[in-house]
């Protein structure tokens, strides 16, 4: 009795065209002592503007003023301010 090995053709995994977990972020004035960061909260998608100092960077978490959860994790020395704004990326 013969046995044959059946090989299935290779099929690449299909990924959704749109990724569901991502975060918009834009860093302005990165070559100055105080940088501005425009981003969306990871949880509630509220648009936020933060000013940060990056002289002696450490790991920081920026809290969202709208939902109270961690909006962004970044490397900076100090978060000077976080202001809610309308999201420039829409929702």
């Amino acid at each position: 009795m013969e046995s044959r090995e059946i090989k299935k053709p290779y099929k690449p995994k299909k990924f959704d065209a749109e990724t569901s977990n991502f975060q918009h972020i834009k860093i302005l004035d990165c070559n100055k002592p105080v940088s501005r960061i425009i981003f969306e909260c990871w949880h509630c998608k509220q648009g936020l503007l933060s000013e940060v100092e990056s002289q002696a960077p450490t790991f920081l978490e920026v809290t969202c003023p709208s939902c109270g959860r961690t909006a962004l994790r970044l490397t900076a020395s100090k978060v000077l301010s976080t202001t809610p704004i309308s999201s420039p990326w829409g929702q």
Side-chain angles (χ1 to χ4, degrees):
M1 183 173 242
E2 286 184 30
S3 63
R4 292 186 192 183
E5 185 178 329
I6 300 173
K7 292 186 178 182
K8 294 182 180 180
Y10 173 74
K11 291 183 183 177
K13 292 182 180 180
K14 294 182 180 178
F15 295 103
D16 294 336
E18 187 175 321
T19 307
S20 59
N21 292 332
F22 62 90
Q23 185 172 25
H24 291 110
I25 183 168
K26 187 170 189 175
I27 301 171
L28 307 169
D29 305 327
C30 58
N31 56 348
K32 295 182 180 177
V34 176
S35 298
R36 294 178 294 156
I37 304 173
I38 299 173
F39 59 98
E40 287 180 329
C41 174
W42 178 256
H43 302 283
C44 69
K45 304 300 182 200
Q46 169 69 50
L48 299 168
L49 169 66
S50 287
E51 292 184 325
V52 298
E53 285 182 354
S54 56
Q55 295 169 351
T58 60
F59 180 75
L60 297 175
E61 293 185 351
V62 179
T63 304
C64 177
S66 298
C67 68
R69 298 170 75 183
T70 300
L72 179 73
R73 293 181 177 149
L74 61 104
T75 304
S77 58
K78 186 178 180 182
V79 177
L80 301 173
S81 67
T82 301
T83 308
I85 60 172
S86 60
S87 176
W89 296 281
Q91 289 189 1

